Amino acid sequence: MKLPQQAGPIGVFDSGYGGLTILGSLRKHLPQYDYLYLGDNARAPYGTRSFDVVYRYTRQAVTTLFQQGCHLVIVACNTASAKALRTIQQTDLPKLDPKRRVLGVIRPTAEVVGNITHSRHVGILATTGTVMSHSYDMEIKKLFPDITVNSQDCPMWVPLVENFEFDSEGADYFVRLRINQILEKDPKIDTLVLACTHYPLLIKKIKKYTPDNITIVSQGEYVARSLETYLSNHPEIERNITRNSTLRCLTTENTDKFDATAIRFLQQDIHSENIAMS
Ligand code: DGL
């Protein structure tokens, strides 16, 4: 496959709108760069899909972003990071272009929890796919063997966000249910990680049902800081990123719907373009 060689934007990929929470933090911390966002809204949610399907979709998304000129892609989706990232890095990247990079959101998040928890009991709230992959347990245990990790999947939370129901009574019911479940599993938890990029949109409800002594960790800022460090350590990658502070958005769904939603995440007008992936 022939890929464009000239410098390009940072690619940011998510199954839908959730990755816009990461994109917002990236643009805040690293505003100088150009960004190209890709939301696979037509096929979201990924959280309940099998390993093979999430891998295939994520590989298509990464390839699409490479074809659009990105040399660096952030998989801003925990489910895709959990199920597809390693295989893409190890198997696909060497064939596609060994000089390009694909990074995820799990490692940068796992790295910070050790400095946040005092009780050494951490709770992970995520999609079923991320929980089943045990990626957070493994990453956190590797870095901080003394931390006890418990996870809770929250299957209705992504559909609530994708359907603008984050302020509804339905959201109250499902958020309270899952927070109570994880705290019943481990009452010593003092740190709850929102390990799905959609969940910051439910933050009002999450705060409402989480005891005050518990720290809620949103990923955006940590992913942005980690990328900043990565780019200063990898000038050969940084050189291939253009710097005009622009943003382009691609969606596999209806662009009007995407634009109407994206404004709620990014607080700016978006004029997305439709793209087909295969
Ligand atoms: N936003 C994705 C994540 O961080 C999941 C949403 C989905 O289920 O597609 O896991």
Side-chain angles (χ1 to χ4, degrees), residues 14-15 18 44-47 76-79 127 130 158 195-198:
D14 185 55
S15 58
Y46 281 13
C77 173
N78 288 271
T79 311
T127 64
T130 300
V158 170
C196 171
T197 53
H198 282 68

Side-chain angles (χ1 to χ4, degrees), residues 30-233:
L30 302 164
Q32 67 273 35
Y33 297 119
D34 293 322
Y35 292 90
L36 178 59
Y37 185 84
L38 170 57
D40 191 7
N41 303 78
R43 302 189 293 195
Y46 281 13
T48 43
R49 294 189 190 276
S50 68
F51 177 93
D52 288 345
V53 171
V54 173
Y55 165 57
R56 182 155 47 86
Y57 288 177
T58 307
R59 191 184 52 199
Q60 288 169 359
V62 167
T63 309
T64 301
L65 287 166
F66 284 170
Q67 285 168 331
Q68 293 282 326
C70 302
H71 289 250
L72 171 67
V73 171
I74 310 296
V75 175
C77 173
N78 288 271
T79 311
S81 293
K83 292 189 165 197
L85 185 65
R86 185 158 308 169
T87 316
I88 288 175
Q89 286 170 334
Q90 292 175 356
T91 311
D92 297 294
L93 212 47
K95 290 182 231 155
L96 285 165
D97 181 350
K99 292 210 183 92
R100 294 181 199 238
R101 289 289 173 272
V102 185
L103 306 174
V105 288
I106 295 178
R107 176 84 190 192
T109 312
E111 278 171 359
V112 299
V113 294
N115 301 328
I116 297 173
T117 173
H118 296 290
S119 69
R120 313 311 275 170
H121 287 254
V122 169
I124 306 294
L125 299 168
T127 64
T128 307
T130 300
V131 170
M132 300 291 281
S133 75
H134 299 290
S135 300
Y136 272 94
D137 318 41
M138 289 187 295
E139 283 294 341
I140 293 173
K141 284 273 170 212
K142 240 192 282 169
L143 298 165
F144 310 104
D146 63 317
I147 292 182
T148 301
V149 181
N150 272 282
S151 301
Q152 176 63 52
D153 63 341
C154 311
M156 284 303 290
W157 289 18
V158 170
L160 283 168
V161 172
E162 291 278 322
N163 292 291
F164 313 122
E165 295 283 350
F166 25 82
D167 277 330
S168 68
E169 285 174 24
D172 274 283
Y173 174 81
F174 285 107
V175 169
R176 187 176 56 229
L177 176 73
R178 300 307 175 195
I179 303 263
N180 287 347
Q181 277 179 330
I182 194 157
L183 295 180
E184 269 163 34
K185 275 184 200 164
D186 183 357
K188 290 191 190 152
I189 285 172
D190 73 349
T191 304
L192 269 182
V193 179
L194 306 187
C196 171
T197 53
H198 282 68
Y199 296 175
L201 267 287
L202 288 164
I203 192 72
K204 254 179 32 202
K205 304 285 186 199
I206 295 170
K207 280 189 176 154
K208 183 169 164 191
Y209 296 107
T210 301
D212 289 342
N213 63 316
I214 295 179
T215 305
I216 299 165
V217 177
S218 276
Q219 304 177 289
E221 189 186 328
Y222 302 111
V223 172
R225 284 183 201 283
S226 164
L227 181 61
E228 190 173 10
T229 308
Y230 179 86
L231 292 175
S232 62
N233 292 336

